[in-house]
Amino acid sequence: MADAGDAAVDRLIGLMARLPRLGPRSARRAVLTLIRRRESLLDPLAQALADVAATVRECAHCGNIATTELCTICTDPARATGEICVVETVADLWAMERGGAFRGRYHVLGGVLSALDGITPTSLRIPELVARVAEEGTREVILALNATVDGQTTAHYIAGELAPLGASLTSLAKGV
Ligand code: ZN
């Protein structure tokens, strides 16, 4: 599977090929482009990767990606604190943000309940969600989980956990 015949370049191609949607062919093309455009692409990309690798973490509050203890959404004073939108993954959070309609804050579960895969409430960030709603006196919780069996089982479970706290619950089942 040697590509360029150079160990360092081959290693880069092998790593790039593991990215979503990039197979070995696209990885080779991407690496060649990077090498040809050293100043405008390769060097800045290497620096950006190093910066993210050194600082990226999970927001301690909502589970979003952050480079400081709390993410930019949790620290944005313009975001409504009384509304929490519950999503499965950071990708779902980003998709909601691109929609631009929601101006509250988020809670990223990190997946959905799945008996088959052994995913239980404590392997997700469900206890943290319940604690947040109780502590913050959240008025409205929007469950934006996927319209899969597991997504809806998770929405149902969360609704049960939050029921005693008196927050209003909206379920926004998203198409699969
Ligand atoms: Zn956050």
Side-chain angles (χ1 to χ4, degrees):
M1 272 293 280
D3 290 297
D6 178 276
V9 176
D10 279 347
R11 182 161 170 265
L12 178 59
I13 292 170
L15 288 168
M16 298 270 287
R18 285 157 64 179
L19 293 173
R21 289 170 188 268
L22 283 189
R25 256 178 81 120
S26 309
R28 278 194 294 271
R29 267 209 308 269
V31 167
L32 275 177
T33 304
L34 287 168
I35 293 169
R36 275 200 307 264
R37 298 178 58 189
R38 184 181 179 122
E39 275 178 31
S40 63
L41 268 179
L42 181 59
D43 291 345
L45 179 67
Q47 188 58 54
L49 285 171
D51 290 347
V52 169
T55 54
V56 79
R57 65 178 92 179
E58 199 171 76
C59 170
H61 205 50
C62 76
N64 188 15
I65 283 171
T67 52
T68 48
E69 170 150 22
L70 297 177
C71 74
T72 51
I73 294 175
C74 284
T75 50
D76 182 352
R79 309 284 303 216
T81 49
E83 294 165 35
I84 295 178
C85 178
V86 180
V87 292
E88 292 179 20
T89 64
V90 172
D92 296 323
L93 184 161
W94 287 359
M96 286 285 291
E97 282 297 285
R98 281 197 301 276
F102 180 67
R103 296 300 299 159
R105 299 190 180 180
Y106 291 92
H107 194 85
V108 181
L109 294 176
V112 281
L113 295 173
S114 166
L116 213 60
D117 298 326
I119 314 274
T120 63
T122 44
S123 33
L124 301 174
R125 295 168 45 86
I126 293 177
E128 289 89 339
L129 172 66
V130 176
R132 260 184 89 177
V133 171
E135 277 163 29
E136 297 172 18
T138 308
R139 289 187 316 275
E140 187 174 10
V141 177
I142 299 156
L143 299 171
L145 304 178
N146 289 315
T148 56
V149 172
D150 285 344
Q152 293 315 296
T153 303
T154 308
H156 189 76
Y157 176 83
I158 292 175
E161 291 292 294
L162 294 181
L165 299 175
S168 104
L169 271 174
T170 312
S171 198
L172 188 79
K174 299 186 304 149
V176 213

